[in-house]
Amino acid sequence: MSEHITVLLHEAVDALAIKPGGVYVDGTYGRGGHSRLILSRLSQSGRLIAIDRDQTAVAVGRKMMREKSVGTGAEFEIRHAAFSQMQKILCEMGVQKVDGILLDLGMSSPQLDADRGFSLRVDGPLDMRMDVSRGITAAQWIETVSETELEKVIKEYGEERYARSIARAIIVARARQPIVTTLQLAKIVIAAVRSRERRREGQQSPATRTFQAIRIAINQELEELSLVLQQSTGLLKVGGRLVVISFHSLEDRIVKRFMRESAGVDRVPRNIPLRGTELQRFNRQQFKVIGKAIRPKQQEVTVNSRSRSAVMRVAERVLCEADTCACLN
């Protein structure tokens, strides 16, 4: 199993602008790289709350809690949940507002290397669940999904030009025998892709986009992301930072749109006359975008090739008229 290397480690934690006595949320604990660095910058009065839907990651976090490996004395807690439950978790803990939220949307190397169906490099059960304690596996989903829905998922979530051919091939194959392993699915997809698009030396497998699409669908990743972004508005203090690291265009598009719209960018209709009160409604700014999108430097990509597609965006919460606690009474 390869060692996990945290992507944009210092860039992400620097972007949070850590206050030593602040309260922060690491919404994707993973293997704890970002959390450890955040804790090292907190004082004894500071607090970090981590969340992860992967039980193995949570076990790593709880071990770190017991060992108190970061010796600043800051309070650290980790919860097993999807980050879309962030508002609920914080309210249950009595936390109304936080100083920063970090979301690293990438998968850890142990997840990719585990026998869970995420990787094409080795054969294994076609599971693909981030949280193996709930939901259906990719194999179960493939067994029952309609061809129309399968094509839609592969096309939209995988941005795959041959979605129709791949969906048809999968449906035909499953009629012969259940598709239950990663290499079994990969062979079906590769055979369905036109010969001129077949793998060349150094290029990704033609099945990569399909695997990505099915994983996103199984875990409802884009829906989860949209939910937590909406919650961040009510959870962050004025001046609090939202830092998000995305790894494919669909995620980054959602993050970019959310930050731009929350900052009032491109929200005012063009070529339409508006009264002052109407213009004021469009200009209710909730965030301001901090800097431009940040990508890993070449040195980091050389050491960790999985970082090459990462894009980090940062926004800061600003005061608005409806600035209230996100916790429900």
Side-chain angles (χ1 to χ4, degrees):
M1 183 177 290
S2 59
E3 181 183 354
H4 179 66
I5 303 173
T6 304
V7 175
L8 291 169
L9 174 59
H10 291 277
E11 292 88 341
V13 178
D14 288 347
L16 284 172
I18 299 291
K19 300 173 183 176
V23 181
Y24 294 87
V25 180
D26 183 349
T28 46
Y29 178 81
R31 288 305 179 267
H34 289 121
S35 282
R36 285 185 176 85
L37 188 55
I38 292 170
L39 283 168
S40 73
R41 298 186 183 183
L42 292 175
S43 67
Q44 193 169 359
S45 60
R47 187 178 187 184
L48 174 63
I49 300 159
I51 301 170
D52 207 294
R53 67 198 299 191
D54 188 324
Q55 291 170 307
T56 305
V58 174
V60 172
R62 287 175 177 159
K63 182 180 179 183
M64 188 175 84
M65 283 174 59
R66 292 192 300 271
E67 295 176 349
K68 297 183 179 179
S69 55
V70 181
T72 62
E75 185 178 350
F76 173 66
E77 300 167 74
I78 186 165
R79 294 292 182 92
H80 175 226
F83 54 47
S84 63
Q85 299 297 306
M86 186 180 296
Q87 178 178 313
K88 179 176 181 289
I89 289 169
L90 294 180
C91 289
E92 288 174 350
M93 298 172 75
V95 178
Q96 294 186 348
K97 297 281 186 178
V98 300
D99 296 282
I101 297 172
L102 172 63
L103 302 172
D104 177 352
L105 305 179
M107 299 184 67
S108 68
S109 296
Q111 279 180 319
L112 292 167
D113 294 336
D115 199 18
R116 303 249 296 271
F118 292 122
S119 176
L120 287 162
R121 293 188 300 176
V122 293
D123 200 14
L126 196 57
D127 191 315
M128 293 195 188
R129 290 174 297 170
M130 299 287 190
D131 183 351
V132 296
S133 68
R134 63 193 68 187
I136 63 171
T137 67
Q140 291 169 326
W141 184 78
I142 287 172
E143 187 64 27
T144 58
V145 69
S146 69
E147 183 174 342
T148 301
E149 178 65 16
L150 181 57
E151 179 187 344
K152 180 181 177 182
V153 164
I154 296 171
K155 182 177 182 179
E156 293 184 4
Y157 293 167
E159 299 180 298
E160 171 59 69
R161 64 185 298 190
Y162 298 117
R164 179 170 296 180
S165 299
I166 293 169
R168 177 93 285 265
I170 291 172
I171 297 299
V172 170
R174 84 177 183 191
R176 291 195 293 264
Q177 62 176 333
I179 302 169
V180 295
T181 71
T182 52
L183 292 188
Q184 189 182 3
L185 176 61
K187 288 177 182 177
I188 294 166
V189 174
I190 292 169
V193 175
R194 296 177 185 176
S195 59
R196 67 172 179 271
E197 295 293 332
R198 286 177 182 266
R199 188 176 187 180
R200 297 171 188 168
E201 191 66 32
Q203 290 186 341
Q204 67 178 16
S205 165
T208 299
R209 295 188 190 94
T210 298
F211 270 63
Q212 171 187 291
I214 294 173
R215 191 202 77 214
I216 290 172
I218 290 297
N219 295 287
Q220 298 183 308
E221 293 177 30
L222 303 185
E223 293 87 348
E224 291 282 320
L225 176 58
S226 295
L227 285 170
V228 75
L229 290 176
Q230 292 165 19
Q231 292 173 28
S232 70
T233 303
L235 292 173
L236 283 164
K237 296 177 183 178
V238 173
R241 294 283 183 91
L242 172 64
V243 179
V244 187
I245 304 172
S246 306
F247 285 81
H248 59 73
S249 60
L250 297 177
E251 292 172 339
D252 184 53
R253 206 172 298 151
I254 291 171
V255 175
K256 181 180 180 180
R257 185 185 303 123
F258 170 80
M259 288 185 176
R260 287 175 64 87
E261 289 180 354
S262 298
V265 181
D266 294 340
R267 295 177 66 192
V268 181
R270 295 183 179 181
N271 304 320
I272 299 178
L274 296 173
R275 297 186 180 91
T277 54
E278 293 174 323
L279 187 62
Q280 199 173 34
R281 174 169 60 87
F282 282 103
N283 286 332
R284 284 179 183 168
Q285 188 180 16
Q286 296 173 318
F287 282 93
K288 66 176 179 181
V289 176
I290 305 297
K292 296 181 179 180
I294 295 173
R295 297 177 184 273
K297 296 176 182 177
Q298 185 56 49
Q299 182 180 1
E300 180 172 358
V301 175
T302 301
V303 174
N304 179 18
S305 62
R306 287 173 174 169
S307 71
R308 64 182 177 274
S309 59
V311 181
M312 186 179 82
R313 297 186 186 274
V314 184
E316 183 177 295
R317 185 75 165 90
V318 296
L319 184 65
C320 73
E321 295 175 13
D323 190 42
T324 58
C325 173
C327 296
L328 301 176
N329 296 324

